[in-house]
mmCIF file of all heavy atoms in Angstrom:
data_model
loop_
_atom_site.group_PDB
_atom_site.id
_atom_site.type_symbol
_atom_site.label_atom_id
_atom_site.label_comp_id
_atom_site.label_asym_id
_atom_site.label_seq_id
_atom_site.Cartn_x
_atom_site.Cartn_y
_atom_site.Cartn_z
ATOM 1 N N VAL A 10 8.809 97.082 -198.887
ATOM 2 C CA VAL A 10 9.716 96.312 -199.735
ATOM 3 C C VAL A 10 11.150 96.539 -199.264
ATOM 4 O O VAL A 10 11.549 97.666 -198.975
ATOM 5 C CB VAL A 10 9.581 96.722 -201.222
ATOM 6 C CG1 VAL A 10 10.570 95.947 -202.088
ATOM 7 C CG2 VAL A 10 8.154 96.517 -201.708
ATOM 8 N N GLY A 11 11.900 95.466 -199.168
ATOM 9 C CA GLY A 11 13.332 95.518 -198.924
ATOM 10 C C GLY A 11 14.020 94.732 -200.010
ATOM 11 O O GLY A 11 13.443 93.775 -200.529
ATOM 12 N N ALA A 12 15.237 95.109 -200.376
ATOM 13 C CA ALA A 12 15.889 94.445 -201.504
ATOM 14 C C ALA A 12 17.393 94.647 -201.471
ATOM 15 O O ALA A 12 17.908 95.475 -200.727
ATOM 16 C CB ALA A 12 15.341 95.003 -202.826
ATOM 17 N N THR A 13 18.055 93.887 -202.321
ATOM 18 C CA THR A 13 19.454 94.133 -202.589
ATOM 19 C C THR A 13 19.562 95.567 -203.093
ATOM 20 O O THR A 13 18.901 95.940 -204.058
ATOM 21 C CB THR A 13 19.965 93.165 -203.679
ATOM 22 O OG1 THR A 13 19.882 91.833 -203.195
ATOM 23 C CG2 THR A 13 21.393 93.491 -204.086
ATOM 24 N N GLY A 14 20.345 96.387 -202.425
ATOM 25 C CA GLY A 14 20.569 97.747 -202.887
ATOM 26 C C GLY A 14 20.098 98.799 -201.915
ATOM 27 O O GLY A 14 19.502 98.516 -200.884
ATOM 28 N N GLU A 15 20.399 100.041 -202.268
ATOM 29 C CA GLU A 15 19.975 101.204 -201.492
ATOM 30 C C GLU A 15 18.647 101.714 -202.038
ATOM 31 O O GLU A 15 18.477 101.824 -203.255
ATOM 32 C CB GLU A 15 20.993 102.334 -201.624
ATOM 33 C CG GLU A 15 22.263 102.112 -200.861
ATOM 34 C CD GLU A 15 23.160 103.327 -200.950
ATOM 35 O OE1 GLU A 15 23.903 103.437 -201.946
ATOM 36 O OE2 GLU A 15 23.111 104.165 -200.025
ATOM 37 N N LEU A 16 17.731 102.036 -201.141
ATOM 38 C CA LEU A 16 16.457 102.624 -201.544
ATOM 39 C C LEU A 16 16.718 104.040 -202.051
ATOM 40 O O LEU A 16 17.253 104.876 -201.322
ATOM 41 C CB LEU A 16 15.485 102.636 -200.363
ATOM 42 C CG LEU A 16 14.117 103.264 -200.624
ATOM 43 C CD1 LEU A 16 13.360 102.508 -201.713
ATOM 44 C CD2 LEU A 16 13.313 103.305 -199.331
ATOM 45 N N MET A 17 16.341 104.297 -203.280
ATOM 46 C CA MET A 17 16.650 105.576 -203.910
ATOM 47 C C MET A 17 15.486 106.565 -203.884
ATOM 48 O O MET A 17 15.682 107.747 -204.147
ATOM 49 C CB MET A 17 17.079 105.347 -205.372
ATOM 50 C CG MET A 17 18.263 104.401 -205.527
ATOM 51 S SD MET A 17 19.697 104.846 -204.539
ATOM 52 C CE MET A 17 20.214 106.329 -205.365
ATOM 53 N N ASN A 18 14.283 106.096 -203.582
ATOM 54 C CA ASN A 18 13.132 106.998 -203.665
ATOM 55 C C ASN A 18 12.254 106.935 -202.411
ATOM 56 O O ASN A 18 11.028 106.841 -202.495
ATOM 57 C CB ASN A 18 12.315 106.721 -204.926
ATOM 58 C CG ASN A 18 11.642 105.356 -204.912
ATOM 59 O OD1 ASN A 18 12.112 104.406 -204.260
ATOM 60 N ND2 ASN A 18 10.534 105.238 -205.621
ATOM 61 N N ALA A 19 12.884 107.038 -201.256
ATOM 62 C CA ALA A 19 12.132 107.040 -199.992
ATOM 63 C C ALA A 19 11.071 108.137 -199.991
ATOM 64 O O ALA A 19 9.985 107.958 -199.434
ATOM 65 C CB ALA A 19 13.076 107.201 -198.809
ATOM 66 N N ASP A 20 11.370 109.254 -200.640
ATOM 67 C CA ASP A 20 10.412 110.364 -200.682
ATOM 68 C C ASP A 20 9.124 110.003 -201.409
ATOM 69 O O ASP A 20 8.090 110.627 -201.181
ATOM 70 C CB ASP A 20 11.056 111.596 -201.329
ATOM 71 C CG ASP A 20 11.535 111.337 -202.744
ATOM 72 O OD1 ASP A 20 12.060 110.235 -203.018
ATOM 73 O OD2 ASP A 20 11.398 112.244 -203.589
ATOM 74 N N LYS A 21 9.152 108.973 -202.240
ATOM 75 C CA LYS A 21 7.964 108.564 -203.001
ATOM 76 C C LYS A 21 7.218 107.392 -202.357
ATOM 77 O O LYS A 21 6.030 107.218 -202.597
ATOM 78 C CB LYS A 21 8.370 108.149 -204.419
ATOM 79 C CG LYS A 21 9.047 109.238 -205.214
ATOM 80 C CD LYS A 21 8.058 110.181 -205.825
ATOM 81 C CE LYS A 21 8.661 111.071 -206.855
ATOM 82 N NZ LYS A 21 9.239 112.296 -206.364
#
Side-chain angles (χ1 to χ4, degrees):
V10 178
T13 296
E15 286 185 276
L16 178 62
M17 303 307 291
N18 66 333
D20 59 321
K21 300 278 193 273

